[in-house]
Amino acid sequence: MAFAASLLNIVGIVFLAHAVYSAYEHSLLASASQSPSLRLPNESDPKLSLPIDIALETLFSVLLLCVGVVLSSPDLKPIQWSKWAGNLERSKEARIVDEAGVAAGNPYAQLEERPGFWDPRGAKKAFGLWVTEGSKSGSS
């Protein structure tokens, strides 16, 4: 698949370069004559109108380049944080321990394990325990 995408990109670049060169050469036709605006009407002026074959070649080359770039792009990552972090932590690089004992897998693990990090789940659990203990002591 990568070879086909690279081939599409190369063919698209060649066609685009040819279309640009053709458009440039076509625009030089106006400068070759003495006064093109006196002899030709506005719709026939080479500086204002581009032949349909050059326009179609330009569109075709851009389409080839777009398809080639899309096919050569890497796979998309999951949007949800939990899936991305789970894939990252299960990877081989996550098991490698870097300097100071920090694993290389999850870049945010260091932030979540810092001492001053407030854990809302732990706070909710502690609040639930406090409420159940308070209701037990109030009923007796």
Side-chain angles (χ1 to χ4, degrees):
M1 183 67 95
F3 176 73
S6 298
L7 185 65
L8 280 176
N9 285 334
I10 291 170
V11 170
I13 288 172
V14 167
F15 275 126
L16 185 62
H18 183 264
V20 168
Y21 180 74
S22 298
Y24 172 72
E25 286 293 319
H26 182 73
S27 70
L28 290 181
L29 288 176
S31 62
S33 63
Q34 296 287 330
S35 57
S37 58
L38 296 176
R39 293 186 198 164
L40 298 172
N42 280 342
E43 59 270 357
S44 302
D45 190 5
K47 285 189 175 180
L48 299 178
S49 66
L50 198 60
I52 192 72
D53 62 334
I54 296 175
L56 289 177
E57 183 181 14
T58 305
L59 291 175
F60 179 69
S61 65
V62 170
L63 179 71
L64 280 179
L65 282 170
C66 288
V67 170
V69 167
V70 167
L71 289 178
S72 65
S73 65
D75 292 337
L76 298 175
K77 306 282 187 272
I79 294 175
Q80 297 171 340
W81 161 257
S82 60
K83 289 183 182 178
W84 177 77
N87 290 340
L88 189 64
E89 289 174 350
R90 283 189 295 273
S91 69
K92 194 174 191 178
E93 294 84 22
R95 293 184 218 113
I96 299 171
V97 177
D98 285 351
E99 58 195 43
V102 178
N106 186 353
Y108 302 110
Q110 190 175 10
L111 294 174
E112 293 175 355
E113 295 169 2
R114 61 185 179 201
F117 187 73
W118 180 66
D119 183 20
R121 291 183 186 138
K124 181 179 178 183
K125 188 175 181 181
F127 179 73
L129 288 173
W130 177 76
V131 168
T132 55
E133 287 177 5
S135 64
K136 288 180 185 175
S137 64
S139 62
S140 17

